[in-house]
mmCIF file of all heavy atoms in Angstrom:
data_model
loop_
_atom_site.group_PDB
_atom_site.id
_atom_site.type_symbol
_atom_site.label_atom_id
_atom_site.label_comp_id
_atom_site.label_asym_id
_atom_site.label_seq_id
_atom_site.Cartn_x
_atom_site.Cartn_y
_atom_site.Cartn_z
ATOM 1 N N MET A 1033 -4.736 24.292 6.033
ATOM 2 C CA MET A 1033 -3.373 24.399 5.512
ATOM 3 C C MET A 1033 -3.266 25.666 4.687
ATOM 4 O O MET A 1033 -4.259 26.134 4.124
ATOM 5 C CB MET A 1033 -3.037 23.196 4.623
ATOM 6 C CG MET A 1033 -3.103 21.859 5.322
ATOM 7 S SD MET A 1033 -2.688 20.490 4.227
ATOM 8 C CE MET A 1033 -4.144 20.422 3.169
ATOM 9 N N PRO A 1034 -2.054 26.238 4.590
ATOM 10 C CA PRO A 1034 -1.873 27.424 3.749
ATOM 11 C C PRO A 1034 -1.971 27.068 2.265
ATOM 12 O O PRO A 1034 -1.924 25.886 1.911
ATOM 13 C CB PRO A 1034 -0.466 27.891 4.118
ATOM 14 C CG PRO A 1034 0.227 26.675 4.603
ATOM 15 C CD PRO A 1034 -0.833 25.814 5.245
ATOM 16 N N ARG A 1035 -2.108 28.083 1.443
ATOM 17 C CA ARG A 1035 -2.159 28.015 -0.029
ATOM 18 C C ARG A 1035 -3.408 27.298 -0.540
ATOM 19 O O ARG A 1035 -4.164 27.861 -1.299
ATOM 20 C CB ARG A 1035 -0.902 27.400 -0.630
ATOM 21 C CG ARG A 1035 0.359 28.203 -0.316
ATOM 22 C CD ARG A 1035 1.485 27.926 -1.252
ATOM 23 N NE ARG A 1035 1.882 26.538 -1.312
ATOM 24 C CZ ARG A 1035 2.614 26.038 -2.297
ATOM 25 N NH1 ARG A 1035 3.025 26.808 -3.280
ATOM 26 N NH2 ARG A 1035 2.959 24.759 -2.292
ATOM 27 N N LEU A 1036 -3.629 26.046 -0.162
ATOM 28 C CA LEU A 1036 -4.824 25.311 -0.583
ATOM 29 C C LEU A 1036 -5.206 24.369 0.551
ATOM 30 O O LEU A 1036 -4.443 23.463 0.894
ATOM 31 C CB LEU A 1036 -4.555 24.518 -1.872
ATOM 32 C CG LEU A 1036 -5.722 23.707 -2.436
ATOM 33 C CD1 LEU A 1036 -6.884 24.628 -2.829
ATOM 34 C CD2 LEU A 1036 -5.261 22.899 -3.643
ATOM 35 N N ASP A 1037 -6.386 24.572 1.126
ATOM 36 C CA ASP A 1037 -6.789 23.737 2.265
ATOM 37 C C ASP A 1037 -7.252 22.350 1.798
ATOM 38 O O ASP A 1037 -7.306 22.073 0.595
ATOM 39 C CB ASP A 1037 -7.853 24.446 3.114
ATOM 40 C CG ASP A 1037 -9.179 24.639 2.392
ATOM 41 O OD1 ASP A 1037 -9.444 23.973 1.366
ATOM 42 O OD2 ASP A 1037 -9.972 25.471 2.868
ATOM 43 N N GLY A 1038 -7.599 21.515 2.751
ATOM 44 C CA GLY A 1038 -7.998 20.148 2.423
ATOM 45 C C GLY A 1038 -9.259 20.073 1.575
ATOM 46 O O GLY A 1038 -9.357 19.222 0.685
ATOM 47 N N PHE A 1039 -10.211 20.965 1.811
ATOM 48 C CA PHE A 1039 -11.434 20.964 1.008
ATOM 49 C C PHE A 1039 -11.121 21.292 -0.451
ATOM 50 O O PHE A 1039 -11.598 20.628 -1.370
ATOM 51 C CB PHE A 1039 -12.441 21.981 1.555
ATOM 52 C CG PHE A 1039 -12.870 21.716 2.970
ATOM 53 C CD1 PHE A 1039 -12.597 22.632 3.962
ATOM 54 C CD2 PHE A 1039 -13.539 20.553 3.316
ATOM 55 C CE1 PHE A 1039 -12.979 22.410 5.269
ATOM 56 C CE2 PHE A 1039 -13.922 20.306 4.621
ATOM 57 C CZ PHE A 1039 -13.646 21.234 5.604
ATOM 58 N N GLY A 1040 -10.331 22.339 -0.656
ATOM 59 C CA GLY A 1040 -9.958 22.736 -2.017
ATOM 60 C C GLY A 1040 -9.162 21.647 -2.713
ATOM 61 O O GLY A 1040 -9.356 21.380 -3.907
ATOM 62 N N PHE A 1041 -8.265 20.995 -1.951
ATOM 63 C CA PHE A 1041 -7.476 19.898 -2.517
ATOM 64 C C PHE A 1041 -8.404 18.785 -3.013
ATOM 65 O O PHE A 1041 -8.281 18.299 -4.138
ATOM 66 C CB PHE A 1041 -6.493 19.364 -1.472
ATOM 67 C CG PHE A 1041 -5.830 18.088 -1.883
ATOM 68 C CD1 PHE A 1041 -4.762 18.086 -2.755
ATOM 69 C CD2 PHE A 1041 -6.301 16.860 -1.411
ATOM 70 C CE1 PHE A 1041 -4.165 16.908 -3.162
ATOM 71 C CE2 PHE A 1041 -5.718 15.671 -1.798
ATOM 72 C CZ PHE A 1041 -4.639 15.698 -2.678
ATOM 73 N N ILE A 1042 -9.342 18.389 -2.166
ATOM 74 C CA ILE A 1042 -10.248 17.288 -2.540
ATOM 75 C C ILE A 1042 -11.080 17.677 -3.765
ATOM 76 O O ILE A 1042 -11.219 16.890 -4.699
ATOM 77 C CB ILE A 1042 -11.156 16.914 -1.351
ATOM 78 C CG1 ILE A 1042 -10.321 16.334 -0.217
ATOM 79 C CG2 ILE A 1042 -12.238 15.920 -1.788
ATOM 80 C CD1 ILE A 1042 -11.086 16.177 1.082
ATOM 81 N N GLU A 1043 -11.623 18.875 -3.750
ATOM 82 C CA GLU A 1043 -12.442 19.315 -4.890
ATOM 83 C C GLU A 1043 -11.646 19.288 -6.191
ATOM 84 O O GLU A 1043 -12.155 18.850 -7.223
ATOM 85 C CB GLU A 1043 -12.990 20.719 -4.617
ATOM 86 C CG GLU A 1043 -14.037 20.733 -3.524
ATOM 87 C CD GLU A 1043 -14.354 22.113 -2.998
ATOM 88 O OE1 GLU A 1043 -13.716 23.110 -3.409
ATOM 89 O OE2 GLU A 1043 -15.240 22.207 -2.132
ATOM 90 N N LYS A 1044 -10.394 19.709 -6.141
ATOM 91 C CA LYS A 1044 -9.568 19.726 -7.355
ATOM 92 C C LYS A 1044 -9.252 18.320 -7.854
ATOM 93 O O LYS A 1044 -9.367 18.042 -9.040
ATOM 94 C CB LYS A 1044 -8.268 20.500 -7.115
ATOM 95 C CG LYS A 1044 -8.460 22.002 -7.108
ATOM 96 C CD LYS A 1044 -7.133 22.711 -7.080
ATOM 97 C CE LYS A 1044 -7.310 24.215 -7.073
ATOM 98 N NZ LYS A 1044 -7.772 24.761 -8.322
ATOM 99 N N ILE A 1045 -8.873 17.429 -6.964
ATOM 100 C CA ILE A 1045 -8.492 16.105 -7.477
ATOM 101 C C ILE A 1045 -9.706 15.256 -7.840
ATOM 102 O O ILE A 1045 -9.598 14.359 -8.661
ATOM 103 C CB ILE A 1045 -7.527 15.347 -6.546
ATOM 104 C CG1 ILE A 1045 -8.206 14.886 -5.292
ATOM 105 C CG2 ILE A 1045 -6.299 16.153 -6.237
ATOM 106 C CD1 ILE A 1045 -7.421 13.771 -4.616
ATOM 107 N N ARG A 1046 -10.859 15.534 -7.233
ATOM 108 C CA ARG A 1046 -12.055 14.782 -7.629
ATOM 109 C C ARG A 1046 -12.503 15.145 -9.043
ATOM 110 O O ARG A 1046 -13.247 14.400 -9.674
ATOM 111 C CB ARG A 1046 -13.206 15.026 -6.642
ATOM 112 C CG ARG A 1046 -13.008 14.339 -5.298
ATOM 113 C CD ARG A 1046 -12.865 12.853 -5.438
ATOM 114 N NE ARG A 1046 -12.857 12.159 -4.165
ATOM 115 C CZ ARG A 1046 -12.058 11.139 -3.877
ATOM 116 N NH1 ARG A 1046 -11.198 10.674 -4.775
ATOM 117 N NH2 ARG A 1046 -12.136 10.546 -2.710
ATOM 118 N N LYS A 1047 -12.067 16.287 -9.557
ATOM 119 C CA LYS A 1047 -12.392 16.690 -10.933
ATOM 120 C C LYS A 1047 -11.443 16.068 -11.951
ATOM 121 O O LYS A 1047 -11.682 16.157 -13.142
ATOM 122 C CB LYS A 1047 -12.332 18.218 -11.051
ATOM 123 C CG LYS A 1047 -13.427 18.912 -10.284
ATOM 124 C CD LYS A 1047 -13.293 20.418 -10.402
ATOM 125 C CE LYS A 1047 -14.356 21.102 -9.551
ATOM 126 N NZ LYS A 1047 -14.142 22.558 -9.486
ATOM 127 N N ASN A 1048 -10.367 15.451 -11.486
ATOM 128 C CA ASN A 1048 -9.372 14.835 -12.358
ATOM 129 C C ASN A 1048 -9.630 13.329 -12.385
ATOM 130 O O ASN A 1048 -9.486 12.654 -11.372
ATOM 131 C CB ASN A 1048 -7.969 15.143 -11.816
ATOM 132 C CG ASN A 1048 -6.878 14.624 -12.706
ATOM 133 O OD1 ASN A 1048 -7.029 13.603 -13.373
ATOM 134 N ND2 ASN A 1048 -5.758 15.329 -12.719
ATOM 135 N N ASP A 1049 -9.990 12.809 -13.537
ATOM 136 C CA ASP A 1049 -10.332 11.386 -13.664
ATOM 137 C C ASP A 1049 -9.213 10.457 -13.183
ATOM 138 O O ASP A 1049 -9.492 9.375 -12.673
ATOM 139 C CB ASP A 1049 -10.681 11.037 -15.111
ATOM 140 C CG ASP A 1049 -11.998 11.656 -15.543
ATOM 141 O OD1 ASP A 1049 -12.806 12.029 -14.668
ATOM 142 O OD2 ASP A 1049 -12.207 11.774 -16.764
ATOM 143 N N ALA A 1050 -7.968 10.890 -13.334
ATOM 144 C CA ALA A 1050 -6.839 10.040 -12.936
ATOM 145 C C ALA A 1050 -6.809 9.812 -11.418
ATOM 146 O O ALA A 1050 -6.302 8.799 -10.955
ATOM 147 C CB ALA A 1050 -5.518 10.671 -13.386
#
Side-chain angles (χ1 to χ4, degrees):
M1033 299 180 288
R1035 299 200 303 163
L1036 180 62
D1037 66 17
F1039 300 117
F1041 169 80
I1042 294 169
E1043 290 166 356
K1044 284 189 180 289
I1045 71 161
R1046 287 301 188 221
K1047 292 178 183 172
N1048 184 328
D1049 290 341

